[in-house]
Amino acid sequence: MESVVRLAISVGGSALVAFVVCRAADLLARFADARHPETPLWGLLRRCRTPLYVVLLAALLRWTYPVAAGRGPAMHTEAVSRVLLLCLIGAGAWLTVRTVAAVVESTYARYAGRSRDAARLRRVRTQVTLIMRVVSVAVGVLAAAAALVTFPSFRTLGTSLLASAGIIGIVAGVAAQSTLSNLFAGFQIAFGDMVRIGDTVVVDGEWGVVEEVTLTFLTVRTWDERRVTLPVSYFTSRPFENWSRGGAEMTGSVFVHCDHTTPVALARAHLQEFLTTCDTWDGRGWDLAVTDTSPTGITVRAIVTAKDADDLWTTRCAVREELVGWLAREHPGALPRVVTAPAAQQAERDR
């Protein structure tokens, strides 16, 4: 009975002390967040209260449990202590990841508040995301290694495996060749500034915006809100279009197939007049010219500019609709026609 009371006091006291400390830390973070609204660090650190509570509780229980257990079975005491140590290692890794994420997010938020370069912000955001994933993986691996070391059998196993480390390394390298290539490709993308979160890209004929970049894959959100997932090694081994690199301004073309009798000069003047009323045209440049001819008609190409890919798409659609509608209203004979008259009758009319 006495041992049960001691255990209850140990568990209850540890939980109470951990709760009081975490509550005090949360209040201090809330107070600091109110005093310094210019930085989100203190608000982000409040996310750490749960892992902090687990760390404190595991540490206190590991300290007080042997005393509370008294003369209980040594095997049970050792097993409970090992479980508490494993919980402490896991919670410590959890707390470390949360703390690093809060610091990194706060630093990025302050940088984003001072910078006005959208392209540079996208690049830094991509790098920050990949760095956080690397930190999370590294902390997880270290925590798993620390947890395995607590078992004496694994220590012996680890010593015996060192002798065959070369063979294991070769086998692992061959087996993980694809994974490692994707991993290094992810670093190349992040720090080589090839693709950034928010960039407009064209891959395999699909136009979309880069939504997520990880160490192994990249997600592109297409114009129709589909998600195309590609391995990051795709962007280091194949050509692709990045419409956001080097500036967001773009130039696009619109092709219209017409009859040989099309009044090109009037169409050029009408295009200029229409572009002055088009909100998505940025005014940098335009043109209209005949770029090809065939026995059945001509190809008219209109060139327009816009400040980004979205506005360029809207401008191209508007110009295409306006040119076709204007020809249909004002010059219906300029639209493509299929000649069905016999050749002999056509020749007589020509005479």
Side-chain angles (χ1 to χ4, degrees):
M1 184 64 181
E2 182 180 355
S3 61
V4 175
V5 173
R6 287 201 304 266
L7 286 176
I9 293 175
S10 172
V11 174
S14 300
L16 180 60
V17 172
F19 175 77
V20 171
V21 174
C22 288
R23 182 62 177 172
D26 185 58
L27 291 176
L28 287 176
R30 184 181 300 179
F31 176 76
D33 188 34
R35 290 288 301 271
H36 301 281
E38 71 279 1
T39 174
L41 174 62
W42 302 107
L44 293 172
L45 284 176
R46 294 187 61 198
R47 302 178 186 173
C48 303
R49 56 184 180 269
T50 301
L52 177 61
Y53 176 78
V54 178
V55 168
L56 292 175
L57 181 60
L60 291 172
L61 285 176
R62 193 168 189 277
W63 177 50
T64 60
Y65 179 78
V67 178
R71 297 181 180 179
M75 184 176 60
H76 292 173
T77 303
E78 183 181 356
V80 173
S81 297
R82 181 166 296 166
V83 170
L84 291 174
L85 179 59
L86 294 176
C87 293
L88 183 60
I89 293 173
W94 185 13
L95 179 61
T96 301
V97 172
R98 283 285 183 92
T99 304
V100 173
V103 174
V104 171
E105 287 289 337
S106 174
T107 304
Y108 173 77
R110 296 185 64 179
Y111 176 79
R114 295 193 304 265
S115 178
R116 294 294 181 268
D117 189 350
R120 186 173 181 82
L121 284 178
R122 291 198 303 270
R123 183 180 66 180
V124 173
R125 182 63 183 176
T126 303
Q127 295 174 351
V128 165
T129 301
L130 290 178
I131 288 174
M132 278 307 306
R133 294 184 184 276
V134 172
V135 170
S136 300
V137 171
V139 172
V141 170
L142 292 177
L148 290 176
V149 169
T150 61
F151 297 92
S153 58
F154 280 99
R155 295 179 192 172
T156 307
L157 179 62
T159 304
S160 63
L161 287 177
L162 287 177
S164 58
I167 299 177
I168 294 176
I170 294 174
V171 173
V174 173
Q177 182 178 3
S178 177
T179 302
L180 290 176
S181 65
N182 280 330
L183 179 64
F184 288 114
F187 282 108
Q188 185 176 354
I189 286 176
F191 297 98
D193 198 22
M194 298 174 58
V195 184
R196 299 159 295 194
I197 296 176
D199 280 2
T200 302
V201 296
V202 178
V203 289
D204 283 343
E206 296 284 351
W207 173 89
V209 178
V210 177
E211 188 176 56
E212 183 181 9
V213 179
T214 69
L215 290 175
T216 55
F217 67 89
L218 186 147
T219 303
V220 177
R221 186 184 74 251
T222 60
W223 64 273
D224 54 356
E225 299 185 355
R226 290 181 293 115
R227 266 66 176 178
V228 179
T229 302
L230 300 165
V232 291
S233 58
Y234 175 94
F235 293 88
T236 59
S237 59
R238 301 183 186 180
F240 66 95
E241 297 182 30
N242 189 341
W243 291 359
S244 301
R245 188 170 179 84
E249 296 85 1
M250 298 192 66
T251 301
S253 57
V254 176
F255 293 93
V256 180
H257 298 280
C258 304
D259 189 74
H260 291 94
T261 60
T262 302
V264 178
L266 295 179
R268 186 178 297 113
H270 180 74
L271 175 62
Q272 182 181 15
E273 180 182 356
F274 169 73
L275 288 176
T276 58
T277 63
C278 184
D279 297 332
T280 54
W281 180 59
D282 63 356
R284 289 188 298 117
W286 70 276
D287 191 19
L288 188 143
V290 178
T291 58
D292 195 12
T293 182
S294 67
T296 58
I298 61 174
T299 301
V300 177
R301 185 189 67 177
I303 295 178
V304 292
T305 59
K307 65 180 180 63
D308 54 34
D310 292 336
D311 282 359
L312 180 64
W313 175 264
T314 304
T315 305
R316 291 173 61 194
C317 293
V319 167
R320 187 180 295 108
E321 293 176 2
E322 180 62 26
L323 287 178
V324 173
W326 177 75
L327 290 174
R329 292 191 310 270
E330 305 295 334
H331 304 278
L335 296 176
R337 291 177 292 178
V338 177
V339 179
T340 59
Q345 298 180 4
Q346 185 70 31
E348 291 178 0
R349 272 201 300 271
D350 292 341
R351 289 198 299 269

